[in-house]
Structures are given as structure tokens and as C-alpha cells.
Amino acid sequence: MNEFQESPERHALRREVAKLAGRYGREWFTEKARSGEKTTDLWLEIGKLGYLGINIPEEYGGGGGGIGDIAAVCEELAAQGCPLLLMVVSPAICGTIITRYGTEEQKQRWLPGIADGTGTMAFAITEPDAGTNSHNITTTARRDGDAWVLNGRKIYISGVDEAEHVLVVARTEDARTGKVKPVLFVVPTDAEGLEYRPIPMEIVSPELQFQVFIDDVRLPADALVGDEDGGLVQLFAGLNPERIMAASFSTGLARFALGKAATYARERTVFQGPIGTHQAIAHPLAQSKIEVELARLMTQKAAALYDAGDDMGAGEAANMAKYAAAEAACDAADRAVQTHGGNGITQEYGMAGLLVATRAGRIAPVSREMILNFVAMHSLGLPKSY
Ligand SMILES: Cc1cc2nc3c(=O)[nH]c(=O)nc-3n(C[C@H](O)[C@H](O)[C@H](O)COP(=O)(O)OP(=O)(O)OC[C@H]3O[C@@H](n4cnc5c(N)ncnc54)[C@H](O)[C@@H]3O)c2cc1C
């Protein structure tokens, strides 16, 4: 082992998760998506085996590992064709924020369910009018005696229908304008005044996105996670893990697409020899293999920096990893479809769905343009452009 390799334990974890997800497989996943069912069986199994909560501290039912571990789980599931988007949200974002900033009582209440999959938590920051510019969010929390009253609208919120709670990013009434000072609330998805409506999406996935309507939702004082004046730092605690997980989700999907393409290119023969003999097929796939491995390396670096407590270093690396992984995955999916010819867009081969799934990685959780803005400004010292 050396510094550029993951530990033997991490490799063993990857093998075990890949074996487990392989028993479910892509067909099972797409069948669930097309029939409107959920992937609860797999979710609960990875919960029971300790993979879902591997990054949650042991005293709250988790595995005591780091973001590198949960990112490995996320990648291996996707690499078997079973990407679970809610892993990005529930254990990685919500689990991390509550672990870092929750009270002892809050940790005991929410973390065990996040870890074993019985208490999934969604995450809601995006708003229709603010979009990428989170400083413009208008979801507002008003104090009413000891309680809080929440009002606002959220959009593209993943998995609200499968979650017991949603961690909502709001602003307090007395900080209504200007740079956002985010406050975070855990809201039960069955709270009075909270409604959600699915957004018809073109992604083939059992996990759906929702519009969320928050109208006078009354919350007890202890629904607030962290300090009311804690500022952006509390939110950012969850956003680096989010980017590292999103990158892993993308590299996993890319590996799945490339695996399918390579198999097909070895077997399909139309002129002399299999189509993989032709460099027009082989080179783009080889190029993607290189790009995916580079993205994986950056993702592992970001996770290692994060787990070592270097939040600043992890921030830059996580952004770069997420960018590289999304680009690599989009290209890999496109090349995999092309390799399959007409079969690339049949439901039987299930490749075309990967085009949209990987494409989402260029948009969410943070768009490629905003990452380029970040790198231009923070890594290259260029003037702020937004
Ligand atoms: C599948 C999926 C799941 C999601 N799940 C969640 C979730 O669980 N919770 C949640 O809170 N959100 C979620 N989102 C929302 C996601 O984070 C947003 O879609 C994303 O942040 C982009 O915001 P927007 O869609 O409003 O785009 P907009 O902000 O409207 O941007 C539109 C385009 O303009 C570009 N742009 C905007 N400003 C600039 C600028 N200054 N410079 C250059 N380019 C710019 C953007 O990069 C983008 O390409 C999800 C989205 C998707 C697609």
C-alpha cells in the first residue's frame, strides 16, 4: 500500500458492496423505476449491513468511518447499475451536518435511523426563484414563542416521498435580505402545512424529485440544527460531502456504462472481427477509461482531505472532482450508447437512460458553470464573476 492507493479495508468494502449490488443489478433497478416502485429492499439491506451508515459515528448506530467510505459504497452501487441518489442526501449531507452541529439529543434521535435506513432524511435548499444563487432563498423562519413557523417553496427535492424528515435550509425573519445566514430545520415530511408534488422527470430512477410547499409549518425549538447565528459554515459542512458523493455517483455510472460498452465491443461483429477491433470504437472508450480513473483519483483525494479535517483543501478538490466526474460520466455514457448502435437506445439494453442520469451530474448538486466560477476565483485568483 502507498499514499495513492486506498487501504485494504476500503478495497474489501468495495468488493463486498459490489457483490451485494450485483445480486440486484441494473434490470432490477430499471424495472423498479418503470413500474413506479422503490428500491427499499436494497436501501434497507445496505442499512442492515452497516454500509449506509458507514460514515455515522458508532455511538449513534453507524460504522465510524469517513466520507471516503460512504463515497466508495455509493460508487460501487452505481457501478453495478444501482445508483442510490438518496445516499448523497441522507447519510452524507444530513448525517454529516447533524453529527457536526446537532445536540446530543438530536444525534440520538435522528442518526440511528439515517444509519440503518429506517429514518431517511431528504435535504431541501433549492428554490424556484433563487436557483443556483442560494443567497436569494426566501424560505423564512419566524419565531413564535418557543416554536418556529416556517414558510417557503422548494424545488427538485429528491426522495421526499421516501423520507421521514427533510432538512430544510431557511433564513430567519430578521435576516430576510442580503447575504443569507442559513438556518437548518429538521421537518417531518408528514408535518401539517407541508405538501409535496412530484416533478415529472426524464430520469429512469425510482427516486423522484418534488416541489415542496411549506405553509405555516410549526416546529418545536429543537427542530433547529446548529446555531441560529452559525452562518454558512454549518451548511458547508454538508456540501463538501455532497460533492464528493455526487462525484462518486458519476464515476460509478461511468464505470457501469464502460463495462457494458467494452463487453458489447468485444462480442458484436459486423465486418471482420468484433467492433472493438476498430479504433473508432476502441479509442473513445479508452479515453473515457482514462478520464474516469483521473476523476476517481481526484474524488479519493477530496475524500481523504475531508476525512483528515482539511475543509479548505477538501472544498477545492471536491469541486474539481465533481466537475471531472460529471464530464467523464457524460462522455462515457454517450460513447457507450454509440458503441451499442441501435441497441444503445432500446429499453432492452437500457443504455440511453444513462445519458440523462449522467447529464444530471453536470447540473446538480452544483452546476459545472458554478464550479468553473469557483475555480477561476479561488484557485486562479480571478475576479468574482457572480
Ligand atoms: C436530479 C436532481 C436532483 C436534485 N436534488 C436536489 C435535492 O435533493 N435538494 C435540493 O435542494 N436540490 C436538488 N436539486 C437541485 C439542484 O441542486 C439545482 O438544479 C442546481 O443547483 C441548479 O439550480 P437551477 O436548476 O435552479 O439552475 P439555475 O440556477 O436556474 O441555472 C441555470 C443555468 O444557468 C447557469 N448559471 C446560473 N448562474 C450562473 C453564473 N453566475 N455563471 C455561469 N452560469 C450560471 C447554471 O450553471 C445553469 O446551467 C436537484 C436537481 C436535480 C436535477
Side-chain angles (χ1 to χ4, degrees), residues 56 88-100 111 114 121-124 165-167 225 238:
I56 304 284
V88 179
V89 174
S90 189
I93 306 178
C94 301
T96 301
I97 291 177
I98 292 169
T99 298
R100 279 211 187 177
L111 292 178
I114 289 177
M121 198 175 282
F123 177 72
H165 297 94
V166 50
L167 184 63
V225 176

Side-chain angles (χ1 to χ4, degrees), residues 85-86 89 122-128 130-133 154-159 201 203 209 242 360 362-370 373 385-386:
L85 186 59
L86 289 182
V89 174
F123 177 72
I125 181 168
T126 309
E127 295 188 3
T132 297
N133 188 358
K154 298 286 179 183
I155 196 165
Y156 300 123
I157 309 308
S158 299
M201 305 286 278
I203 306 176
Q209 279 69 48
E242 179 186 51
R362 271 193 176 139
I363 298 163
V366 56
S367 70
R368 67 191 292 283
E369 291 75 27
M370 291 314 290
N373 284 340
S385 65
Y386 57 97

Side-chain angles (χ1 to χ4, degrees), residues 236-300:
F236 282 175
L239 297 191
N240 283 336
E242 179 186 51
R243 276 154 215 200
I244 294 165
M245 291 294 279
S248 303
F249 190 90
S250 290
T251 54
L253 280 179
R255 284 170 52 200
F256 176 75
L258 280 182
K260 288 280 179 201
T263 303
Y264 195 82
R266 280 192 298 268
E267 290 167 0
R268 172 78 172 157
T269 301
V270 279
F271 291 95
Q272 317 86 309
I275 55 170
T277 311
H278 306 295
Q279 289 181 340
I281 291 291
H283 279 188
L285 297 182
Q287 218 178 330
S288 277
K289 172 71 179 161
I290 294 168
E291 288 160 7
V292 172
E293 288 305 321
L294 291 173
R296 295 183 74 218
L297 195 55
M298 193 47 136
T299 308
Q300 288 167 19

